[in-house]
Amino acid sequence: MKLKYLSKPNCSALLPIHIGVPLIRELDNYLHYVNVKDQRNKGIIDKLIKHNEKTIGRLPGSNRYFKYDIDISNTTDLWCKSFQTLTLEKRINDPVKLHLTFIYQDGTYWKIILPLQFLLKGWGDANEGYQCYVHTITENLDPTLKVNLNNPQPIINKDEYYYVGITGRNWLKRFDEHLSDMRRGSRKWFHSKLRESIGVKNVLYVSSLMDINHNKDDAMLWEEIAVDRWASDQYGLNMIPGGYKGLKYLHEHRIIKQIDISLEEREIAIAEYARQNPRKGIPNPMLAALWEDDDFYKRINEAHPKRLSEQQVLRIRELHGDEWAIPHIVNEVGALNEKQVKDVIKGNTYNRIQSDKK
């Protein structure tokens, strides 16, 4: 198979094995359409490839991105054996990303997102160095949701759980290993959440490849920042902090004797930590001091898109006192779902937010 724009080795390295030759060819043909016939974006694929060639060997990973205001999206219905590719315009300039959405027979969605440049000619060896990724499990999607192939992003974000990781190997092979650990009954939070979601309707899995070609130290730093950003609260599925901070955590808990260990040894140590601490929700002592600060707690709540603001929490309690129905409260305050409102009413969450009224 001869490809005009895509790098066959990098497609093999970074995309799922089952994606198949027809879909790769469809993507390459669509890139040709965008590059040659799309008047608004004419020449953009050539620019991306030239930028790859210009920056190869000079800059690491994400420092090589060429920013532009489109993404390329493909939705494949594996049951109907149909697929459609199109261009998505976006308001901000950031790396051109490829979105691949797979719809399975049981109604499960798996979406893969990665910078298109990784797959284009001129990038170099995508397998070199460390890869950085985030897996997301989104539950409780609208059960009436129907995926329209002309609109590949109809998903309403609710109940999202995040797992951040790095690997010195292939990121999707590493995901296969996570699935194998899940089937063997692993107690790690990510594996437990995967196990709980298998076979459940209205679930979306998203695998996002964030960066590649890092050395170990840079990858560990990326992971440390990413875990703190996405996976350090009740929606996070990482059992320890990211990067070297996590190794220090394991050392302080006497799980490892030294901090300088491999990622494979770290996985064994985390499994042992999970065995010793099976209950989810063990607080991260490195964040505990901050969470004790009420101002920090409020700032995090306001900044996090899945959390309720102080005003929303107080309004939920007020409306419940006025005997509003739960669905009406959800709509009124803009909550994610009924469960979020019920948890506030039951006192399961946001107990630190209290009204100043006597």
Side-chain angles (χ1 to χ4, degrees), residues 282-296:
I282 300 170
N284 177 350
M286 298 182 183
L287 294 175
L290 282 175
W291 281 108
E292 290 298 321
D293 184 281
D294 287 340
D295 288 337
F296 175 81

Side-chain angles (χ1 to χ4, degrees), residues 183-227:
R183 297 185 189 100
R184 287 194 292 267
S186 167
R187 296 181 179 181
K188 294 178 183 177
W189 298 346
F190 180 41
H191 303 154
S192 295
K193 177 56 68 176
L194 281 171
R195 192 160 46 242
E196 291 172 6
S197 66
I198 296 297
V200 177
K201 294 182 179 179
N202 308 318
V203 175
L204 168 70
Y205 303 95
V206 178
S207 297
S208 302
L209 182 59
M210 309 297 289
D211 214 344
I212 60 175
N213 300 144
H214 274 307
N215 61 41
K216 184 178 180 180
D217 286 342
D218 287 345
M220 293 289 275
L221 176 59
W222 178 91
E223 187 186 55
E224 180 177 321
I225 295 171
V227 170

Side-chain angles (χ1 to χ4, degrees), residues 38-55:
D38 185 343
Q39 292 301 313
R40 181 185 181 278
N41 303 299
K42 193 172 183 178
I44 182 58
I45 308 303
D46 284 339
K47 289 180 181 178
L48 291 174
I49 292 177
K50 288 180 180 179
H51 191 75
N52 278 356
E53 295 170 344
K54 180 180 178 180
T55 58

